[in-house]
Amino acid sequence: MKALLDCNNFYCSCERVFDPRLEGRPLVVLSNNDGCVIARSNEAKALGIAMGAPIFELKDLVRRHGVAIYSSNYALYGDMSSRVIATVSAMVPEVEVYSIDEMFLDLGGFNGPQLEALGRQLVRTVRQHTGIPVSVGIAATKTLAKVANKVAKRCGGFFLLDDPWVMEQTLRSFPAEDIWGIGRQYAKMLDAHGIRTAFDFMQAPALG
């Protein structure tokens, strides 16, 4: 089994670790030149602030809603990423760092009950040791672990995708464009062939 551990809204979460007053407040982090939004808290997303939005276009919204604005601090984010990796590496046999805020975990040898206990423990322990909230999705492949991780973000931070019935229901409601490696443009081609969900994609023959 594979797990994907993803740090939630990582840059914003890092800033909140060092300034707890930011909890619950809309927060964005800007690009190197402070020109565009490159990270958003959930509260900022709820206001409709988009990734890549020029900050000058958001002045009225920022003022009305008290949005906190931070310049990017990559030294801080790199250090916090290392802390998360070290914490996780002490708990699982193999860690593959995928990006600054994502890592795949090899969970071979763990069974169903152990997987759930480990997944929930990872969520708790990383938060306790680093202050960073994470989501953990576990499944048989990396692609399915990506799906499970997206679901985990909506249901308390952990989701185990191993039961066949749960897997089918999950994939039936999972948009094809959100499958790892597909994206919007390829999804348009799939849609033209009637493939709109991950379940449709799994059942479809190879497209010529």
Side-chain angles (χ1 to χ4, degrees):
M1 297 292 281
K2 305 289 184 182
L4 176 66
L5 184 146
D6 180 26
C7 300
N8 301 338
N9 306 321
F10 183 53
Y11 292 174
C12 293
S13 294
C14 289
E15 300 294 349
R16 283 175 166 172
V17 169
F18 291 91
D19 189 351
R21 295 173 300 177
L22 296 171
E23 286 290 345
R25 181 180 176 186
L27 167 65
V28 298
V29 175
L30 304 181
S31 54
N32 283 333
N33 61 357
D34 286 347
C36 298
V37 173
I38 60 169
R40 305 159 295 160
S41 69
N42 286 337
E43 297 83 0
K45 294 175 185 178
L47 293 176
I49 297 176
M51 280 289 285
I55 192 62
F56 75 86
E57 294 182 356
L58 304 174
K59 288 182 179 179
D60 290 341
L61 185 148
V62 166
R63 184 172 58 252
R64 290 199 312 271
H65 297 280
V67 179
I69 303 173
Y70 275 67
S71 300
S72 50
N73 183 344
Y74 295 110
L76 169 64
Y77 310 147
D79 179 67
M80 293 301 294
S81 177
S82 296
R83 296 187 194 186
V84 173
I85 294 168
T87 299
V88 174
S89 297
M91 299 175 64
V92 300
E94 186 176 339
V95 176
E96 177 189 344
V97 178
Y98 180 63
S99 67
I100 193 171
D101 61 349
E102 291 181 285
M103 59 200 76
F104 287 105
L105 317 178
D106 188 342
L107 304 182
F110 290 89
N111 61 30
Q114 290 173 326
L115 289 169
E116 180 162 0
L118 176 61
R120 296 189 185 281
Q121 184 183 8
L122 283 164
V123 174
R124 290 193 304 269
T125 303
V126 173
R127 185 64 182 265
Q128 290 169 355
H129 288 191
T130 70
I132 300 296
V134 301
S135 297
V136 175
I138 299 177
T141 68
K142 289 181 177 179
T143 299
L144 287 173
K146 277 271 194 178
V147 172
N149 184 273
K150 285 183 177 291
V151 178
K153 292 182 182 297
R154 305 194 300 266
C155 61
F158 171 76
F159 190 70
L160 174 60
L161 192 59
D162 65 343
D163 179 84
W165 185 86
V166 173
M167 182 177 298
E168 179 175 336
Q169 299 308 307
T170 300
L171 297 180
R172 283 185 181 277
S173 62
F174 195 86
E177 69 179 46
D178 289 343
I179 300 172
W180 186 26
I182 289 185
R184 293 183 180 179
Q185 293 304 313
Y186 190 43
K188 291 179 181 178
M189 185 272 288
L190 294 177
D191 183 72
H193 289 81
I195 301 171
R196 299 178 178 86
T197 69
F199 185 80
D200 295 336
F201 184 77
M202 185 175 69
Q203 299 297 313
L207 299 177

